[in-house]
Amino acid sequence: MTKKLVWILFLALPHSTLGAEWSITEVQHQLGNLDTPTFAGGGKSWTHSITFQHASGWSFGENFFFFDLTNSDDATFNDADIYSEWYPALSLTRLMGRTQSKRLIREVSILSGLNFGASPRVIKLLPGLRFSLNLPGFAFANLDLMGYLDMSEGSARGGAPSEKNAYIIDFNWALPLAQGKVSVEGHVEYLSSRDNEFGSEVSWHLLAQPQIRLDLGQVLGFKSGTIFVGTEIQFWINKLGDASTDEFSPQTLLVWRL
């Protein structure tokens, strides 16, 4: 798996290492009573998640990644696990020397996403396109269309069963409200069904993770844009491809912007 991960990082890297023109880096803490899929035993468990998240932009694109450290009461699921996603984007619009449009589709970019789960030994490569949208009032709004290519070694190496390739559609956004005191942001994704290495069907899923944030500094009259409190709601139909597990779990949210 190590050689394969290095190769994937090489494919994803070229356009994300130049100097950033802007950047936002955050540490987030979430606490919620999350569902365990039936294939991992079922039930619910209180789960802490610490997320390190970074977004930045440069002259020809953007870069976004996060690392999740999770720990739960369930010793067999989400227990001291690490999960990460990385999405460098290269703007075709800017490469062709065109200005960003004022129409619905503002810009088109190439994506080269990477998903990595440590405990299940999962690596997914997500090549695709990003359509950046002009939506009134939004700080940003993107529609991402991507392949979902499994680069994992599966059960033979002690990981989760490998899967056939699929596709994923993701809408991600940030919408500031109340003169910036409140922000509603997050993403909604649809992942298509596929079969695993044993011939069993892995169901499609629909995952939404909206956050409602309050800028605590701005409300209380000290430095704004640093500390946020609120909630993240995890809404998941067919969680992790399990057709027997649907989830609706509000979580407490604390954000420190570095």
Side-chain angles (χ1 to χ4, degrees), residues 64-106:
F64 173 79
F65 67 85
F66 70 84
F67 292 91
D68 276 346
L69 306 176
T70 58
N71 192 43
S72 76
D73 295 338
D74 188 335
T76 61
F77 184 74
N78 273 344
D79 184 43
D81 197 12
I82 300 174
Y83 178 76
S84 178
E85 296 186 7
W86 180 26
Y87 297 98
L90 178 65
S91 172
L92 295 175
T93 302
R94 290 178 236 174
L95 279 177
M96 293 186 292
R98 298 183 179 179
T99 58
Q100 296 182 355
S101 174
K102 294 183 179 180
R103 298 179 179 179
L104 176 61
I105 298 177
R106 173 173 56 84

Side-chain angles (χ1 to χ4, degrees), residues 33-184:
N33 196 18
L34 304 184
D35 288 273
T36 300
T38 57
F39 61 73
K44 298 177 76 72
S45 61
W46 286 99
T47 303
H48 290 270
S49 298
I50 296 176
T51 300
F52 179 85
Q53 178 173 292
H54 173 84
S56 57
W58 54 290
S59 55
F60 288 105
E62 287 82 36
N63 184 41
F64 173 79
F65 67 85
F66 70 84
F67 292 91
D68 276 346
L69 306 176
T70 58
N71 192 43
S72 76
D73 295 338
D74 188 335
T76 61
F77 184 74
N78 273 344
D79 184 43
D81 197 12
I82 300 174
Y83 178 76
S84 178
E85 296 186 7
W86 180 26
Y87 297 98
L90 178 65
S91 172
L92 295 175
T93 302
R94 290 178 236 174
L95 279 177
M96 293 186 292
R98 298 183 179 179
T99 58
Q100 296 182 355
S101 174
K102 294 183 179 180
R103 298 179 179 179
L104 176 61
I105 298 177
R106 173 173 56 84
E107 186 174 20
V108 180
S109 302
I110 296 175
L111 279 179
S112 48
L114 175 69
N115 295 176
F116 170 74
S119 183
R121 299 177 176 239
V122 168
I123 299 177
K124 308 284 186 179
L125 186 63
L126 285 71
L129 293 174
R130 164 167 290 171
F131 299 92
S132 299
L133 308 177
N134 277 316
L135 297 182
F138 283 71
F140 71 86
N142 299 316
L143 181 64
D144 300 337
L145 309 178
M146 299 169 285
Y148 191 74
L149 313 182
D150 194 346
M151 311 299 289
S152 310
E153 296 178 338
S155 59
R157 296 286 184 173
S162 60
E163 300 171 350
K164 291 186 177 180
N165 298 330
Y167 68 89
I168 189 168
I169 303 171
D170 187 279
F171 176 67
N172 48 92
W173 81 93
L175 176 63
L177 300 169
Q179 290 78 48
K181 294 184 178 69
V182 177
S183 179
V184 180

Side-chain angles (χ1 to χ4, degrees), residues 229-240:
V229 294
T231 184
E232 176 175 309
I233 299 172
Q234 184 156 289
F235 174 71
W236 209 334
I237 300 175
N238 302 334
K239 184 173 183 176
L240 291 172

